[in-house]
Amino acid sequence: MLNKLFEALYLKVFVSIVTNGTKSIVYVELCNKKDVISSVQESFVSTLEHKKMLSFIESYTKESPFHYISYLDHSPLQGAISTSADKSKHFDSKLFKYMNYNDNWLYYTSKADLNLLKKRYADIGVDYIFSPFVLLAEFFKDKLDNAMTMFVLIEEGYISLSIFNKNELLFAEHIAIEHKRNSDENENEDVVGDIDDFELDDMSIDLEDVNVVEELDDILDELDDIENLDDLSEIEDLDNMDDIEEFSEEEEVADTSQEIASDTSTPIKINDDYKIFGRIQNSVNSFYKDSKSNPNFVETIYIADGVGNSHDLKQYLEEEMFLSVYVRRIDLCLEICELAKMENS
């Protein structure tokens, strides 16, 4: 009763932290009993601005004793299994922590990674560490009772996928994705560096080493020997030859530029989407091999896109795997905040 009285006097502060590679996104909501009073979001370079990020969070949490800090689990050693599955075949309970989701299935993660996370945020504390499988299930909770449906959560650097058949979890996997973007950027930087290192002297041409001058002198001598300047047929022919040569050179340059344009016009995200497509395809194949007794096939896939470039992925899945694909954009920080509110309702 006393606690409810204090809650009425203070705002509740919900903080969501999502780490994407070297960047951490922090989202803060200040709420009264019913409504969101204000919200703010900031990005920080995880390795360089960790203290700055903690100070930013503390500037809001110190205003109320009712603050809740949530983090999206990025442990590579996590997953989900059916409650009927043999846990010993999937993880060692001494090394992993597992939780029950609505008495339907289990999700687990590495105890060592949890301890590292808690140590990293020891100054401010962590109240909730949410599994991407729970986030995915809550985001598509109205679709979990569908028959033979796959659900995929796309983050920057990770995908989490699960297959359900009428609320029964059949398969789940958490996969790290190495993006092509990083390697391409490094390659471009190397190319730029090579160009910058070029000196103009290296690109100069010494005409004395070429026979061009001699050839021009011969042509001028021949022209001096022409007695009748009214007969310009030879000169016209020469001009025509020059035109043909110039045209062929221009055509060759145009063709070369077209090849360069075709090479650089392909967006990097297509590479990323195709890589994600390959991981999904491999997971589906693994599911079919492990579920030989199940005659049903996955026909529908729901994607929660937290990155914003799944157009090509949708096309790959539809054309290569003949799946019905539905994509929803997801704001990871906002959804984590909603999960924290559910825990405090």
Side-chain angles (χ1 to χ4, degrees):
M1 184 66 180
L2 186 60
N3 190 49
K4 293 292 183 182
L5 179 61
F6 277 111
E7 285 187 12
L9 298 175
Y10 292 94
L11 293 176
K12 285 187 177 182
V13 181
F14 294 93
V15 180
S16 303
I17 305 173
V18 175
T19 301
N20 297 326
T22 60
K23 183 175 67 174
S24 292
I25 302 172
V26 179
Y27 174 74
V28 181
E29 270 192 14
L30 283 73
C31 308
N32 60 18
K33 194 171 183 179
K34 295 181 179 180
D35 303 312
V36 177
I37 302 301
S38 63
S39 63
V40 62
Q41 180 171 300
E42 292 286 345
S43 296
F44 302 90
V45 179
S46 301
T47 54
L48 301 177
E49 299 182 306
H50 183 67
K51 291 183 178 179
K52 182 179 179 181
M53 180 180 67
L54 297 183
S55 298
F56 171 78
I57 294 173
E58 286 180 330
S59 67
Y60 290 94
T61 57
K62 69 181 182 181
E63 298 298 327
S64 173
F66 299 99
H67 56 263
Y68 308 94
I69 299 174
S70 304
Y71 188 89
L72 181 60
D73 188 8
H74 276 147
S75 170
L77 305 175
Q78 62 175 304
I81 60 173
S82 170
T83 53
S84 60
D86 185 356
K87 292 190 291 291
S88 61
K89 291 183 178 181
H90 295 272
F91 59 87
D92 186 344
S93 59
K94 295 180 180 179
L95 302 177
F96 290 83
K97 180 178 181 179
Y98 65 90
M99 300 288 289
N100 195 313
Y101 180 85
N102 293 342
D103 295 325
N104 287 335
W105 46 276
L106 305 174
Y107 58 96
Y108 60 90
T109 190
S110 166
K111 288 182 178 179
D113 289 338
L114 288 179
N115 291 333
L116 287 174
L117 179 62
K118 292 177 181 178
K119 183 177 180 180
R120 179 172 176 78
Y121 292 98
D123 292 341
I124 58 174
V126 178
D127 297 286
Y128 304 110
I129 301 174
F130 290 110
S131 166
F133 295 101
V134 172
L135 182 64
L136 188 59
E138 288 294 329
F139 192 68
F140 288 118
K141 59 184 176 181
D142 58 329
K143 306 297 182 183
L144 292 178
D145 59 349
N146 291 357
M148 297 304 298
T149 303
M150 171 177 277
F151 301 93
V152 179
L153 173 64
I154 301 177
E155 307 173 54
E156 189 72 33
Y158 298 92
I159 61 171
S160 303
L161 56 87
S162 55
I163 298 175
F164 281 82
N165 183 32
K166 298 180 179 179
N167 276 314
E168 179 186 0
L169 177 64
L170 303 179
F171 181 87
E173 193 170 10
H174 181 70
I175 307 169
I177 300 294
E178 294 182 2
H179 285 278
K180 181 69 174 176
R181 185 186 308 274
N182 294 333
S183 61
D184 283 351
E185 287 175 350
N186 293 335
E187 290 174 5
N188 291 336
E189 290 173 0
D190 293 339
V191 171
V192 172
D194 293 340
I195 294 175
D196 291 340
D197 292 338
F198 260 101
E199 297 293 335
L200 289 177
D201 292 340
D202 297 334
M203 301 179 66
S204 62
I205 300 175
D206 187 0
L207 293 180
E208 296 298 331
D209 296 333
V210 186
N211 294 326
V212 175
V213 174
E214 296 179 358
E215 293 177 359
L216 288 174
D217 289 337
D218 293 338
I219 294 173
L220 291 174
D221 291 337
E222 292 178 1
L223 290 175
D224 290 337
D225 294 334
I226 298 175
E227 297 180 354
N228 187 5
L229 294 177
D230 292 333
D231 185 6
L232 300 177
S233 61
E234 291 183 357
I235 298 178
E236 291 177 353
D237 292 340
L238 183 60
D239 289 338
N240 291 335
M241 290 179 64
D242 290 339
D243 290 341
I244 293 173
E245 289 178 357
E246 290 177 1
F247 177 79
S248 62
E249 289 177 359
E250 291 175 357
E251 185 178 29
E252 185 177 352
V253 171
D255 290 341
T256 303
S257 63
Q258 185 178 9
E259 290 176 3
I260 295 173
S262 63
D263 289 340
T264 59
S265 62
T266 303
I268 294 173
K269 70 183 182 62
I270 291 182
N271 295 333
D272 289 341
D273 280 3
Y274 195 81
K275 185 175 292 186
I276 294 173
F277 161 72
R279 298 295 192 275
I280 293 175
Q281 190 176 45
N282 291 339
S283 295
V284 172
N285 291 336
S286 297
F287 166 68
Y288 289 147
K289 290 179 181 178
D290 295 339
S291 306
K292 295 180 180 179
S293 59
N294 190 339
N296 298 317
F297 292 91
V298 176
E299 296 182 356
T300 305
I301 179 170
Y302 287 90
I303 298 174
D305 181 9
V307 179
N309 59 350
S310 58
H311 173 76
D312 297 293
L313 174 61
K314 182 178 186 294
Q315 183 178 351
Y316 297 144
L317 292 168
E318 290 174 339
E319 295 181 357
E320 300 293 333
M321 298 182 66
F322 308 105
L323 295 171
S324 297
V325 184
Y326 301 92
V327 180
R328 290 183 188 174
R329 189 75 170 89
I330 184 172
D331 186 323
L332 295 173
C333 286
L334 188 60
E335 293 302 322
I336 291 172
C337 187
E338 293 301 315
L339 291 178
K341 291 177 184 179
M342 289 172 57
E343 294 291 333
N344 284 273
S345 59

